[in-house]
Amino acid sequence: MARSQWGSRLGFILAAAGSAIGLGAIWKFPYVAATNGGGAFLFIYLGICLTLGLVLMLSEMALGRASNAGAVGAFRRLAGGFWPVIGYMGVLVCFLILSFYSVVGGWTIAYIGKALDGSIMTADAKALGGIFGSFISHPLQPLAYHAGFALLTLAVVVGGVQKGIEGLSKFLMPALFVLMLLLIARGLTLPGAWDGVLYFVTPDLSKVSGAMLVDALGLAFFSLSLGLGIMITYGSYVDRESNLLGSALWVIALTVATCFLAGLMVLPAVFAFGFDPSAGPGLTFITMPAVFAHLPFGQLFAVMFFCLLLLAALTSSVSLLEVVTSFAIDELGLSRRTAACSMAAGIFLLGIPASLSLGVWGDFLVMGMNFFDLLDFLTSKLLMPLGELLLALFVGWKAWPVVRGELSSGRSPRLMRCMRGFCMALAPALIGWIMVVSI
């Protein structure tokens, strides 16, 4: 069976950027940047994305295109032996992440409804906290929205690479940027909003520390979708004529721009009404509705905001499901429809205990964590960084001739040597440090 390909370079760039731009970019980046030195964190994060992040993204794309295979097949075709374990880890991580990510994606659908009916249009943050807590702890309501979000994701992936993923990305990514710019324009007109802008962009060098560097490294890997097998899978759909370096730079630029715009969208409005910018996840579902309640036409902006969250969540969930679907097609010989439906069903079932652990199953703990937090810990703290560490070693020590062949056309030999040095030593050392410090 001939492997699918992107219909255009633009489609590949938007799909890859969409995989990186998810819910984390909307609420996590503003919160992490605001509590880690503002402008200082921004510059460090940008530096990591353009060095280590770029090298690892290019490596994943090159492995995918060179092997013409997904996350597992790439390592088997290029090396065999132990190395396909890295691909299996990536597929497992995508499966686990999407199981609880789909639950959160369902929350965004629910909150679009709550914004439309006005039930969250109150400035009382305590009342909003009660609404949010009551909703996520309900045994059935979140599951219904979890199912709805899973079906949306499935519908896109069943449509295939060009008609499904690429077609959606060409629509959703511009729509996401338009919504963000509209919300930013409204927020910056509020009295006191510029205090939030200054808080976000002004470097606070006193906050620069080892812990802040760990946050910046971790967020860079997470926001660029590294260590998941996504860029390997997407790279396998790229034609031989496409410039991988230019595409990777565009993906990073769009991802960094979205994170920066998210800060400009959230923090000025939060400051304008005196809310806590370090509210973390609550900033999305508790603090922001309170902000909108203060605004003229606030209900309209609330609907727009949660629609934006849904778009961001969907672009990421599609890429996660595509990795496990591609695995089932390549390794199990299933048709795209059968592979996508079976994997989506398994992901939905695993999401049920993740959702219930926030309510009726909240007392069932493993290592002191409920099931939702356990899945997050296993993926973000263990499997993702370990997979990326092993991938860097694989590129630097085992598959470098193949990667160099994919990337070296017109590139200086010195640049190629620097990239290999990153993969052989620097990247594994930094990722290992992240794992030790963060566990």
PDB file of all heavy atoms in Angstrom, residues 45-62 220-221 224 226 231 244-253 388 391 403 407 415 419 422-423:
ATOM      1  N   TYR A  45      13.422  30.278  26.930  1.00  0.00           N
ATOM      2  CA  TYR A  45      12.547  29.342  26.209  1.00  0.00           C
ATOM      3  C   TYR A  45      12.792  29.423  24.710  1.00  0.00           C
ATOM      4  O   TYR A  45      12.925  28.396  24.028  1.00  0.00           O
ATOM      5  CB  TYR A  45      11.092  29.656  26.537  1.00  0.00           C
ATOM      6  CG  TYR A  45      10.077  28.942  25.662  1.00  0.00           C
ATOM      7  CD1 TYR A  45       9.715  27.623  25.906  1.00  0.00           C
ATOM      8  CD2 TYR A  45       9.486  29.593  24.586  1.00  0.00           C
ATOM      9  CE1 TYR A  45       8.798  26.968  25.103  1.00  0.00           C
ATOM     10  CE2 TYR A  45       8.555  28.951  23.778  1.00  0.00           C
ATOM     11  CZ  TYR A  45       8.217  27.640  24.039  1.00  0.00           C
ATOM     12  OH  TYR A  45       7.316  26.996  23.239  1.00  0.00           O
ATOM     13  N   LEU A  46      12.878  30.646  24.172  1.00  0.00           N
ATOM     14  CA  LEU A  46      13.115  30.822  22.742  1.00  0.00           C
ATOM     15  C   LEU A  46      14.469  30.242  22.344  1.00  0.00           C
ATOM     16  O   LEU A  46      14.596  29.572  21.309  1.00  0.00           O
ATOM     17  CB  LEU A  46      13.050  32.308  22.385  1.00  0.00           C
ATOM     18  CG  LEU A  46      13.298  32.665  20.914  1.00  0.00           C
ATOM     19  CD1 LEU A  46      12.256  32.014  20.025  1.00  0.00           C
ATOM     20  CD2 LEU A  46      13.291  34.185  20.727  1.00  0.00           C
ATOM     21  N   GLY A  47      15.494  30.474  23.183  1.00  0.00           N
ATOM     22  CA  GLY A  47      16.817  29.946  22.882  1.00  0.00           C
ATOM     23  C   GLY A  47      16.829  28.429  22.838  1.00  0.00           C
ATOM     24  O   GLY A  47      17.460  27.828  21.959  1.00  0.00           O
ATOM     25  N   ILE A  48      16.126  27.795  23.763  1.00  0.00           N
ATOM     26  CA  ILE A  48      16.058  26.329  23.781  1.00  0.00           C
ATOM     27  C   ILE A  48      15.332  25.815  22.548  1.00  0.00           C
ATOM     28  O   ILE A  48      15.756  24.846  21.913  1.00  0.00           O
ATOM     29  CB  ILE A  48      15.362  25.851  25.067  1.00  0.00           C
ATOM     30  CG1 ILE A  48      16.225  26.160  26.290  1.00  0.00           C
ATOM     31  CG2 ILE A  48      15.072  24.349  24.997  1.00  0.00           C
ATOM     32  CD1 ILE A  48      15.524  25.925  27.603  1.00  0.00           C
ATOM     33  N   CYS A  49      14.226  26.468  22.177  1.00  0.00           N
ATOM     34  CA  CYS A  49      13.458  26.025  21.006  1.00  0.00           C
ATOM     35  C   CYS A  49      14.286  26.108  19.735  1.00  0.00           C
ATOM     36  O   CYS A  49      14.211  25.219  18.877  1.00  0.00           O
ATOM     37  CB  CYS A  49      12.195  26.879  20.856  1.00  0.00           C
ATOM     38  SG  CYS A  49      10.902  26.533  22.058  1.00  0.00           S
ATOM     39  N   LEU A  50      15.118  27.161  19.598  1.00  0.00           N
ATOM     40  CA  LEU A  50      15.869  27.380  18.369  1.00  0.00           C
ATOM     41  C   LEU A  50      17.182  26.614  18.332  1.00  0.00           C
ATOM     42  O   LEU A  50      17.885  26.645  17.316  1.00  0.00           O
ATOM     43  CB  LEU A  50      16.134  28.875  18.183  1.00  0.00           C
ATOM     44  CG  LEU A  50      14.905  29.728  17.849  1.00  0.00           C
ATOM     45  CD1 LEU A  50      15.266  31.204  17.800  1.00  0.00           C
ATOM     46  CD2 LEU A  50      14.282  29.288  16.536  1.00  0.00           C
ATOM     47  N   THR A  51      17.545  25.957  19.406  1.00  0.00           N
ATOM     48  CA  THR A  51      18.780  25.165  19.424  1.00  0.00           C
ATOM     49  C   THR A  51      18.433  23.686  19.624  1.00  0.00           C
ATOM     50  O   THR A  51      18.290  22.936  18.666  1.00  0.00           O
ATOM     51  CB  THR A  51      19.730  25.663  20.521  1.00  0.00           C
ATOM     52  OG1 THR A  51      19.034  25.712  21.790  1.00  0.00           O
ATOM     53  CG2 THR A  51      20.249  27.057  20.196  1.00  0.00           C
ATOM     54  N   LEU A  52      18.287  23.299  20.855  1.00  0.00           N
ATOM     55  CA  LEU A  52      18.010  21.901  21.167  1.00  0.00           C
ATOM     56  C   LEU A  52      16.690  21.436  20.548  1.00  0.00           C
ATOM     57  O   LEU A  52      16.600  20.347  19.972  1.00  0.00           O
ATOM     58  CB  LEU A  52      17.980  21.714  22.684  1.00  0.00           C
ATOM     59  CG  LEU A  52      17.946  20.291  23.228  1.00  0.00           C
ATOM     60  CD1 LEU A  52      19.147  19.499  22.736  1.00  0.00           C
ATOM     61  CD2 LEU A  52      17.919  20.309  24.749  1.00  0.00           C
ATOM     62  N   GLY A  53      15.660  22.268  20.661  1.00  0.00           N
ATOM     63  CA  GLY A  53      14.359  21.909  20.097  1.00  0.00           C
ATOM     64  C   GLY A  53      14.418  21.730  18.593  1.00  0.00           C
ATOM     65  O   GLY A  53      13.851  20.779  18.038  1.00  0.00           O
ATOM     66  N   LEU A  54      15.129  22.635  17.905  1.00  0.00           N
ATOM     67  CA  LEU A  54      15.246  22.556  16.453  1.00  0.00           C
ATOM     68  C   LEU A  54      15.997  21.293  16.034  1.00  0.00           C
ATOM     69  O   LEU A  54      15.590  20.595  15.095  1.00  0.00           O
ATOM     70  CB  LEU A  54      15.964  23.796  15.924  1.00  0.00           C
ATOM     71  CG  LEU A  54      16.247  23.825  14.420  1.00  0.00           C
ATOM     72  CD1 LEU A  54      14.959  23.750  13.610  1.00  0.00           C
ATOM     73  CD2 LEU A  54      17.045  25.079  14.051  1.00  0.00           C
ATOM     74  N   VAL A  55      17.085  20.990  16.726  1.00  0.00           N
ATOM     75  CA  VAL A  55      17.877  19.806  16.390  1.00  0.00           C
ATOM     76  C   VAL A  55      17.048  18.533  16.540  1.00  0.00           C
ATOM     77  O   VAL A  55      17.045  17.656  15.658  1.00  0.00           O
ATOM     78  CB  VAL A  55      19.134  19.736  17.278  1.00  0.00           C
ATOM     79  CG1 VAL A  55      19.798  18.368  17.169  1.00  0.00           C
ATOM     80  CG2 VAL A  55      20.116  20.829  16.888  1.00  0.00           C
ATOM     81  N   LEU A  56      16.321  18.420  17.642  1.00  0.00           N
ATOM     82  CA  LEU A  56      15.542  17.211  17.884  1.00  0.00           C
ATOM     83  C   LEU A  56      14.347  17.107  16.936  1.00  0.00           C
ATOM     84  O   LEU A  56      14.001  16.017  16.470  1.00  0.00           O
ATOM     85  CB  LEU A  56      15.080  17.172  19.338  1.00  0.00           C
ATOM     86  CG  LEU A  56      16.210  17.028  20.368  1.00  0.00           C
ATOM     87  CD1 LEU A  56      15.668  17.154  21.793  1.00  0.00           C
ATOM     88  CD2 LEU A  56      16.930  15.703  20.196  1.00  0.00           C
ATOM     89  N   MET A  57      13.703  18.240  16.634  1.00  0.00           N
ATOM     90  CA  MET A  57      12.590  18.204  15.683  1.00  0.00           C
ATOM     91  C   MET A  57      13.074  17.798  14.306  1.00  0.00           C
ATOM     92  O   MET A  57      12.451  16.958  13.625  1.00  0.00           O
ATOM     93  CB  MET A  57      11.900  19.574  15.617  1.00  0.00           C
ATOM     94  CG  MET A  57      10.720  19.596  14.650  1.00  0.00           C
ATOM     95  SD  MET A  57       9.850  21.172  14.619  1.00  0.00           S
ATOM     96  CE  MET A  57       9.049  21.145  16.220  1.00  0.00           C
ATOM     97  N   LEU A  58      14.192  18.375  13.857  1.00  0.00           N
ATOM     98  CA  LEU A  58      14.759  18.002  12.566  1.00  0.00           C
ATOM     99  C   LEU A  58      15.114  16.521  12.523  1.00  0.00           C
ATOM    100  O   LEU A  58      14.891  15.836  11.512  1.00  0.00           O
ATOM    101  CB  LEU A  58      16.012  18.837  12.295  1.00  0.00           C
ATOM    102  CG  LEU A  58      15.824  20.179  11.601  1.00  0.00           C
ATOM    103  CD1 LEU A  58      17.154  20.924  11.541  1.00  0.00           C
ATOM    104  CD2 LEU A  58      15.275  19.998  10.198  1.00  0.00           C
ATOM    105  N   SER A  59      15.664  16.025  13.631  1.00  0.00           N
ATOM    106  CA  SER A  59      16.043  14.612  13.689  1.00  0.00           C
ATOM    107  C   SER A  59      14.827  13.717  13.520  1.00  0.00           C
ATOM    108  O   SER A  59      14.863  12.732  12.769  1.00  0.00           O
ATOM    109  CB  SER A  59      16.737  14.315  15.021  1.00  0.00           C
ATOM    110  OG  SER A  59      17.938  15.050  15.152  1.00  0.00           O
ATOM    111  N   GLU A  60      13.743  14.056  14.220  1.00  0.00           N
ATOM    112  CA  GLU A  60      12.538  13.233  14.119  1.00  0.00           C
ATOM    113  C   GLU A  60      11.960  13.282  12.702  1.00  0.00           C
ATOM    114  O   GLU A  60      11.565  12.247  12.139  1.00  0.00           O
ATOM    115  CB  GLU A  60      11.506  13.698  15.145  1.00  0.00           C
ATOM    116  CG  GLU A  60      11.905  13.422  16.593  1.00  0.00           C
ATOM    117  CD  GLU A  60      10.730  13.512  17.544  1.00  0.00           C
ATOM    118  OE1 GLU A  60       9.586  13.375  17.095  1.00  0.00           O
ATOM    119  OE2 GLU A  60      10.963  13.710  18.760  1.00  0.00           O
ATOM    120  N   MET A  61      11.880  14.485  12.124  1.00  0.00           N
ATOM    121  CA  MET A  61      11.353  14.598  10.761  1.00  0.00           C
ATOM    122  C   MET A  61      12.218  13.808   9.775  1.00  0.00           C
ATOM    123  O   MET A  61      11.697  13.129   8.877  1.00  0.00           O
ATOM    124  CB  MET A  61      11.310  16.072  10.337  1.00  0.00           C
ATOM    125  CG  MET A  61      10.249  16.899  11.035  1.00  0.00           C
ATOM    126  SD  MET A  61      10.331  18.624  10.461  1.00  0.00           S
ATOM    127  CE  MET A  61       8.932  19.327  11.355  1.00  0.00           C
ATOM    128  N   ALA A  62      13.547  13.906   9.926  1.00  0.00           N
ATOM    129  CA  ALA A  62      14.451  13.218   9.010  1.00  0.00           C
ATOM    130  C   ALA A  62      14.314  11.709   9.134  1.00  0.00           C
ATOM    131  O   ALA A  62      14.342  10.991   8.118  1.00  0.00           O
ATOM    132  CB  ALA A  62      15.895  13.645   9.305  1.00  0.00           C
ATOM    133  N   ALA A 220       9.548  23.552  26.556  1.00  0.00           N
ATOM    134  CA  ALA A 220       9.970  23.572  25.159  1.00  0.00           C
ATOM    135  C   ALA A 220       9.717  22.219  24.502  1.00  0.00           C
ATOM    136  O   ALA A 220       9.168  22.138  23.401  1.00  0.00           O
ATOM    137  CB  ALA A 220      11.447  23.948  25.057  1.00  0.00           C
ATOM    138  N   PHE A 221      10.115  21.135  25.168  1.00  0.00           N
ATOM    139  CA  PHE A 221       9.881  19.804  24.608  1.00  0.00           C
ATOM    140  C   PHE A 221       8.391  19.521  24.465  1.00  0.00           C
ATOM    141  O   PHE A 221       7.938  18.994  23.445  1.00  0.00           O
ATOM    142  CB  PHE A 221      10.519  18.730  25.489  1.00  0.00           C
ATOM    143  CG  PHE A 221      12.015  18.684  25.416  1.00  0.00           C
ATOM    144  CD1 PHE A 221      12.762  18.293  26.508  1.00  0.00           C
ATOM    145  CD2 PHE A 221      12.677  19.031  24.261  1.00  0.00           C
ATOM    146  CE1 PHE A 221      14.152  18.250  26.440  1.00  0.00           C
ATOM    147  CE2 PHE A 221      14.066  18.993  24.180  1.00  0.00           C
ATOM    148  CZ  PHE A 221      14.802  18.599  25.276  1.00  0.00           C
ATOM    149  N   LEU A 224       6.662  21.665  21.671  1.00  0.00           N
ATOM    150  CA  LEU A 224       7.066  21.330  20.307  1.00  0.00           C
ATOM    151  C   LEU A 224       6.708  19.896  19.923  1.00  0.00           C
ATOM    152  O   LEU A 224       7.094  19.421  18.857  1.00  0.00           O
ATOM    153  CB  LEU A 224       8.577  21.537  20.149  1.00  0.00           C
ATOM    154  CG  LEU A 224       9.071  22.982  20.265  1.00  0.00           C
ATOM    155  CD1 LEU A 224      10.583  23.042  20.178  1.00  0.00           C
ATOM    156  CD2 LEU A 224       8.448  23.877  19.208  1.00  0.00           C
ATOM    157  N   LEU A 226       7.778  17.015  21.051  1.00  0.00           N
ATOM    158  CA  LEU A 226       8.936  16.147  20.906  1.00  0.00           C
ATOM    159  C   LEU A 226       8.817  14.944  21.836  1.00  0.00           C
ATOM    160  O   LEU A 226       8.264  15.037  22.921  1.00  0.00           O
ATOM    161  CB  LEU A 226      10.219  16.930  21.214  1.00  0.00           C
ATOM    162  CG  LEU A 226      10.481  18.135  20.308  1.00  0.00           C
ATOM    163  CD1 LEU A 226      11.719  18.896  20.779  1.00  0.00           C
ATOM    164  CD2 LEU A 226      10.648  17.697  18.860  1.00  0.00           C
ATOM    165  N   MET A 231       6.398  13.876  15.151  1.00  0.00           N
ATOM    166  CA  MET A 231       7.183  14.446  14.058  1.00  0.00           C
ATOM    167  C   MET A 231       7.795  13.352  13.177  1.00  0.00           C
ATOM    168  O   MET A 231       8.042  13.581  11.990  1.00  0.00           O
ATOM    169  CB  MET A 231       8.281  15.365  14.618  1.00  0.00           C
ATOM    170  CG  MET A 231       7.731  16.600  15.315  1.00  0.00           C
ATOM    171  SD  MET A 231       6.631  17.559  14.240  1.00  0.00           S
ATOM    172  CE  MET A 231       5.845  18.650  15.440  1.00  0.00           C
ATOM    173  N   LEU A 244      13.308  20.313   4.933  1.00  0.00           N
ATOM    174  CA  LEU A 244      12.942  20.007   6.314  1.00  0.00           C
ATOM    175  C   LEU A 244      13.363  21.113   7.280  1.00  0.00           C
ATOM    176  O   LEU A 244      12.643  21.413   8.229  1.00  0.00           O
ATOM    177  CB  LEU A 244      13.555  18.675   6.746  1.00  0.00           C
ATOM    178  CG  LEU A 244      12.981  17.409   6.106  1.00  0.00           C
ATOM    179  CD1 LEU A 244      13.646  16.171   6.680  1.00  0.00           C
ATOM    180  CD2 LEU A 244      11.468  17.325   6.299  1.00  0.00           C
ATOM    181  N   LEU A 245      14.544  21.714   7.050  1.00  0.00           N
ATOM    182  CA  LEU A 245      15.003  22.769   7.955  1.00  0.00           C
ATOM    183  C   LEU A 245      14.051  23.952   7.921  1.00  0.00           C
ATOM    184  O   LEU A 245      13.649  24.471   8.976  1.00  0.00           O
ATOM    185  CB  LEU A 245      16.411  23.218   7.580  1.00  0.00           C
ATOM    186  CG  LEU A 245      16.980  24.394   8.387  1.00  0.00           C
ATOM    187  CD1 LEU A 245      17.015  24.053   9.872  1.00  0.00           C
ATOM    188  CD2 LEU A 245      18.372  24.784   7.887  1.00  0.00           C
ATOM    189  N   GLY A 246      13.668  24.387   6.726  1.00  0.00           N
ATOM    190  CA  GLY A 246      12.728  25.506   6.626  1.00  0.00           C
ATOM    191  C   GLY A 246      11.392  25.183   7.253  1.00  0.00           C
ATOM    192  O   GLY A 246      10.797  26.018   7.947  1.00  0.00           O
ATOM    193  N   SER A 247      10.907  23.953   7.043  1.00  0.00           N
ATOM    194  CA  SER A 247       9.628  23.545   7.629  1.00  0.00           C
ATOM    195  C   SER A 247       9.699  23.526   9.151  1.00  0.00           C
ATOM    196  O   SER A 247       8.788  23.995   9.833  1.00  0.00           O
ATOM    197  CB  SER A 247       9.231  22.160   7.109  1.00  0.00           C
ATOM    198  OG  SER A 247       9.047  22.175   5.705  1.00  0.00           O
ATOM    199  N   ALA A 248      10.798  22.978   9.690  1.00  0.00           N
ATOM    200  CA  ALA A 248      10.946  22.921  11.150  1.00  0.00           C
ATOM    201  C   ALA A 248      11.009  24.320  11.754  1.00  0.00           C
ATOM    202  O   ALA A 248      10.426  24.581  12.815  1.00  0.00           O
ATOM    203  CB  ALA A 248      12.200  22.131  11.516  1.00  0.00           C
ATOM    204  N   LEU A 249      11.712  25.226  11.086  1.00  0.00           N
ATOM    205  CA  LEU A 249      11.792  26.603  11.589  1.00  0.00           C
ATOM    206  C   LEU A 249      10.410  27.264  11.598  1.00  0.00           C
ATOM    207  O   LEU A 249      10.068  28.004  12.525  1.00  0.00           O
ATOM    208  CB  LEU A 249      12.763  27.417  10.738  1.00  0.00           C
ATOM    209  CG  LEU A 249      14.257  27.130  10.971  1.00  0.00           C
ATOM    210  CD1 LEU A 249      15.104  27.820   9.909  1.00  0.00           C
ATOM    211  CD2 LEU A 249      14.673  27.587  12.375  1.00  0.00           C
ATOM    212  N   TRP A 250       9.609  27.006  10.561  1.00  0.00           N
ATOM    213  CA  TRP A 250       8.254  27.553  10.515  1.00  0.00           C
ATOM    214  C   TRP A 250       7.390  26.978  11.644  1.00  0.00           C
ATOM    215  O   TRP A 250       6.620  27.712  12.288  1.00  0.00           O
ATOM    216  CB  TRP A 250       7.608  27.260   9.166  1.00  0.00           C
ATOM    217  CG  TRP A 250       7.819  28.337   8.153  1.00  0.00           C
ATOM    218  CD1 TRP A 250       8.601  28.300   7.045  1.00  0.00           C
ATOM    219  CD2 TRP A 250       7.232  29.653   8.177  1.00  0.00           C
ATOM    220  NE1 TRP A 250       8.547  29.491   6.373  1.00  0.00           N
ATOM    221  CE2 TRP A 250       7.718  30.336   7.036  1.00  0.00           C
ATOM    222  CE3 TRP A 250       6.357  30.309   9.039  1.00  0.00           C
ATOM    223  CZ2 TRP A 250       7.344  31.653   6.745  1.00  0.00           C
ATOM    224  CZ3 TRP A 250       5.985  31.617   8.748  1.00  0.00           C
ATOM    225  CH2 TRP A 250       6.469  32.267   7.616  1.00  0.00           C
ATOM    226  N   VAL A 251       7.516  25.681  11.886  1.00  0.00           N
ATOM    227  CA  VAL A 251       6.740  25.056  12.971  1.00  0.00           C
ATOM    228  C   VAL A 251       7.107  25.679  14.310  1.00  0.00           C
ATOM    229  O   VAL A 251       6.232  26.021  15.124  1.00  0.00           O
ATOM    230  CB  VAL A 251       6.983  23.534  13.003  1.00  0.00           C
ATOM    231  CG1 VAL A 251       6.341  22.917  14.242  1.00  0.00           C
ATOM    232  CG2 VAL A 251       6.420  22.882  11.745  1.00  0.00           C
ATOM    233  N   ILE A 252       8.398  25.853  14.551  1.00  0.00           N
ATOM    234  CA  ILE A 252       8.847  26.447  15.817  1.00  0.00           C
ATOM    235  C   ILE A 252       8.384  27.892  15.920  1.00  0.00           C
ATOM    236  O   ILE A 252       7.925  28.340  16.977  1.00  0.00           O
ATOM    237  CB  ILE A 252      10.381  26.338  15.935  1.00  0.00           C
ATOM    238  CG1 ILE A 252      10.781  24.876  16.142  1.00  0.00           C
ATOM    239  CG2 ILE A 252      10.910  27.203  17.083  1.00  0.00           C
ATOM    240  CD1 ILE A 252      12.270  24.629  16.125  1.00  0.00           C
ATOM    241  N   ALA A 253       8.486  28.641  14.813  1.00  0.00           N
ATOM    242  CA  ALA A 253       8.059  30.045  14.836  1.00  0.00           C
ATOM    243  C   ALA A 253       6.578  30.164  15.157  1.00  0.00           C
ATOM    244  O   ALA A 253       6.169  31.019  15.974  1.00  0.00           O
ATOM    245  CB  ALA A 253       8.370  30.699  13.492  1.00  0.00           C
ATOM    246  N   GLU A 388      12.928  10.841  24.296  1.00  0.00           N
ATOM    247  CA  GLU A 388      13.709  11.840  23.568  1.00  0.00           C
ATOM    248  C   GLU A 388      15.199  11.672  23.838  1.00  0.00           C
ATOM    249  O   GLU A 388      16.034  11.892  22.953  1.00  0.00           O
ATOM    250  CB  GLU A 388      13.250  13.253  23.948  1.00  0.00           C
ATOM    251  CG  GLU A 388      13.586  14.313  22.923  1.00  0.00           C
ATOM    252  CD  GLU A 388      12.932  14.064  21.577  1.00  0.00           C
ATOM    253  OE1 GLU A 388      11.940  13.314  21.486  1.00  0.00           O
ATOM    254  OE2 GLU A 388      13.438  14.616  20.571  1.00  0.00           O
ATOM    255  N   LEU A 391      16.227   8.818  21.674  1.00  0.00           N
ATOM    256  CA  LEU A 391      16.217   9.224  20.268  1.00  0.00           C
ATOM    257  C   LEU A 391      17.466  10.036  19.930  1.00  0.00           C
ATOM    258  O   LEU A 391      18.068   9.846  18.865  1.00  0.00           O
ATOM    259  CB  LEU A 391      14.959  10.034  19.957  1.00  0.00           C
ATOM    260  CG  LEU A 391      14.864  10.499  18.492  1.00  0.00           C
ATOM    261  CD1 LEU A 391      13.473  10.259  17.943  1.00  0.00           C
ATOM    262  CD2 LEU A 391      15.224  11.976  18.358  1.00  0.00           C
ATOM    263  N   VAL A 403      20.440  10.533   8.838  1.00  0.00           N
ATOM    264  CA  VAL A 403      19.921  11.872   9.140  1.00  0.00           C
ATOM    265  C   VAL A 403      20.704  12.931   8.388  1.00  0.00           C
ATOM    266  O   VAL A 403      20.130  13.869   7.820  1.00  0.00           O
ATOM    267  CB  VAL A 403      19.981  12.126  10.665  1.00  0.00           C
ATOM    268  CG1 VAL A 403      19.610  13.577  10.980  1.00  0.00           C
ATOM    269  CG2 VAL A 403      19.057  11.166  11.396  1.00  0.00           C
ATOM    270  N   LEU A 407      19.469  15.895   5.568  1.00  0.00           N
ATOM    271  CA  LEU A 407      19.537  17.312   5.948  1.00  0.00           C
ATOM    272  C   LEU A 407      20.708  18.070   5.356  1.00  0.00           C
ATOM    273  O   LEU A 407      20.706  19.305   5.377  1.00  0.00           O
ATOM    274  CB  LEU A 407      19.607  17.442   7.482  1.00  0.00           C
ATOM    275  CG  LEU A 407      18.466  16.827   8.281  1.00  0.00           C
ATOM    276  CD1 LEU A 407      18.754  16.953   9.775  1.00  0.00           C
ATOM    277  CD2 LEU A 407      17.140  17.494   7.946  1.00  0.00           C
ATOM    278  N   LEU A 415      27.880  23.055  10.528  1.00  0.00           N
ATOM    279  CA  LEU A 415      26.530  22.990  11.088  1.00  0.00           C
ATOM    280  C   LEU A 415      26.127  21.545  11.353  1.00  0.00           C
ATOM    281  O   LEU A 415      25.539  21.231  12.398  1.00  0.00           O
ATOM    282  CB  LEU A 415      25.533  23.641  10.124  1.00  0.00           C
ATOM    283  CG  LEU A 415      24.047  23.605  10.537  1.00  0.00           C
ATOM    284  CD1 LEU A 415      23.849  24.389  11.817  1.00  0.00           C
ATOM    285  CD2 LEU A 415      23.160  24.169   9.430  1.00  0.00           C
ATOM    286  N   MET A 419      25.231  19.794  14.984  1.00  0.00           N
ATOM    287  CA  MET A 419      23.986  19.072  15.215  1.00  0.00           C
ATOM    288  C   MET A 419      24.264  17.681  15.759  1.00  0.00           C
ATOM    289  O   MET A 419      23.598  17.226  16.702  1.00  0.00           O
ATOM    290  CB  MET A 419      23.186  18.987  13.919  1.00  0.00           C
ATOM    291  CG  MET A 419      21.860  18.248  14.077  1.00  0.00           C
ATOM    292  SD  MET A 419      20.842  18.330  12.586  1.00  0.00           S
ATOM    293  CE  MET A 419      19.532  17.177  13.054  1.00  0.00           C
ATOM    294  N   PHE A 422      25.231  17.881  19.400  1.00  0.00           N
ATOM    295  CA  PHE A 422      24.039  18.059  20.234  1.00  0.00           C
ATOM    296  C   PHE A 422      23.421  16.708  20.561  1.00  0.00           C
ATOM    297  O   PHE A 422      23.071  16.427  21.709  1.00  0.00           O
ATOM    298  CB  PHE A 422      23.013  18.931  19.501  1.00  0.00           C
ATOM    299  CG  PHE A 422      23.013  20.366  19.916  1.00  0.00           C
ATOM    300  CD1 PHE A 422      23.923  21.258  19.389  1.00  0.00           C
ATOM    301  CD2 PHE A 422      22.087  20.835  20.838  1.00  0.00           C
ATOM    302  CE1 PHE A 422      23.927  22.582  19.778  1.00  0.00           C
ATOM    303  CE2 PHE A 422      22.076  22.159  21.219  1.00  0.00           C
ATOM    304  CZ  PHE A 422      23.010  23.041  20.691  1.00  0.00           C
ATOM    305  N   CYS A 423      23.259  15.883  19.535  1.00  0.00           N
ATOM    306  CA  CYS A 423      22.579  14.601  19.716  1.00  0.00           C
ATOM    307  C   CYS A 423      23.434  13.600  20.492  1.00  0.00           C
ATOM    308  O   CYS A 423      22.904  12.814  21.288  1.00  0.00           O
ATOM    309  CB  CYS A 423      22.190  14.011  18.360  1.00  0.00           C
ATOM    310  SG  CYS A 423      20.926  14.953  17.495  1.00  0.00           S
TER     311      CYS A 423
END
